[in-house]
Amino acid sequence: MWTVAAYYGVLLITVVVAMRRGGRWERWAAYTALLASVFTSVLVPHPKWTDIETQIFVIDVLALMSFWYIALKTHRFWPYWITGWQLIAIFGHVQKLMFSEILERPYALLSMYISYPILLVIIYASGSAKRRGEVGA
């Protein structure tokens, strides 16, 4: 349970930093991470990880599409990093679909912990957006 609280703490910091220091695309990325996390917690509060978690997979695909849109619209490099890490999460789901012998724990850990580098990049991008003068209304 403490891992969920720690994750949501980092997520909250990410959203606050993006709101205060980030530009349009950093806020969009932070809101995407927030919505994906909340929808995952609400729709699948206790995933079993024995088979592919279809609802989490769908949420991850929607987050990937949002991050990809940011990457296509901005002239910065950080969206490619978050899109790539989100794609790794998608590949984790695909591998579980293809190879049912993948154990629950590694599948769960990949799906959960891939979010941390995404959030850290959003925090970094939000801080650098203000330095670059990209913060707008």
Side-chain angles (χ1 to χ4, degrees), residues 37-83:
S37 298
V38 169
F39 282 139
T40 299
S41 295
V42 169
L43 295 177
V44 191
H46 304 289
K48 295 182 180 154
W49 304 107
T50 54
D51 294 314
I52 184 171
E53 293 291 338
T54 308
Q55 292 174 316
I56 297 174
F57 175 69
V58 170
I59 293 167
D60 282 349
V61 167
L62 292 172
L64 175 68
M65 291 182 349
S66 180
F67 291 152
W68 197 351
Y69 181 77
I70 295 168
L72 291 173
K73 292 296 182 181
T74 187
H75 298 294
R76 308 268 316 274
F77 194 71
W78 67 267
Y80 294 103
W81 282 98
I82 64 173
T83 303

